[in-house]
Amino acid sequence: MNPQRPLIARIARGLEWGAVLFTVALLVFVATLPFSAARVGFAGSPVHGVAPVGGSTVDLTLSFPLKDQGAYPLDGLSVHLWVRDPDGALITQGLSPPVTIPSGGVSSIHLALPFSFANVSALSFLLVNDTVLSGSLSGNATYAYFFPVQVQVENLTFPWGAPFSHLAATVGAPRVAPNGSAVVPFTLSFQDNATFPVVGTLSFRLLAPSGTPCGSSDLSLDVIPGQSDRSTTQVPVSSGCDPLGGTFTGTFSSYTLDFPLPPQRIPP
């Protein structure tokens, strides 16, 4: 019978095998890491919309679906997103809460970026003009438990639909109403291309070309996204004041929103 190997020799042999197995596992891990990391990416197009918050503030909501088809999880992914207007001016920015995507899993980065239409600001053109906003994002995460990674994406685009797209105010010639007062027929037309309904009251004024106030009135609006509206009313005006060629100004108010519209020229 062969004598048993000394205990210390058996321990050393076990350590040698353990080192070999560890080295093999490490080589497999290192070899598969780039392939696995390359299988992390978008699971579809970003989803975006606009949600009224209150007052003159809305949230630009965005969701980026992500998938991890690699062998290792992506932990604590958080992104900072910047959104700019067509001229490159910063509109809003924000940071998403971190998410973890397990190996083979799908998740989403969610952001709600607020901006305000208070007063007649530089952003008020978005109330009446459809356009395309641009964005860029920067993200940080840990991949495969140990490795910090950075994500940088430029040239993102987000179509913007205006709630009062193609807004137009037209006024007919002044005439005398049956009660003897002067009135003008007023027509307002627009299309709701936003992702929220335009339901509320539009309080407006008509100004003469000189800037003199001619008259004011209110319109009740109830327009769903994608719908056009054309409303006509008779507006009492001051005697001798003609708003043709002048200016329309208005403020929209609802249970969630309250903001002024940019002034619109009235055709002569």
Side-chain angles (χ1 to χ4, degrees), residues 17 31 39 66 78 98 120 122 150 189 193 196 199 218 257:
W17 275 108
R39 294 174 62 81
L66 302 169
S78 181
V120 182
Q150 288 188 327
S189 61
N193 287 338
F196 58 90
V199 180
D218 296 328
L257 288 174

Side-chain angles (χ1 to χ4, degrees), residues 27-39:
L27 290 174
V28 171
F29 176 73
V30 171
T32 58
L33 189 61
F35 175 76
S36 290
R39 294 174 62 81

Side-chain angles (χ1 to χ4, degrees), residues 136-150:
S136 60
L137 67 80
S138 174
N140 294 281
T142 300
Y143 187 65
Y145 311 105
F146 305 108
F147 299 94
V149 294
Q150 288 188 327

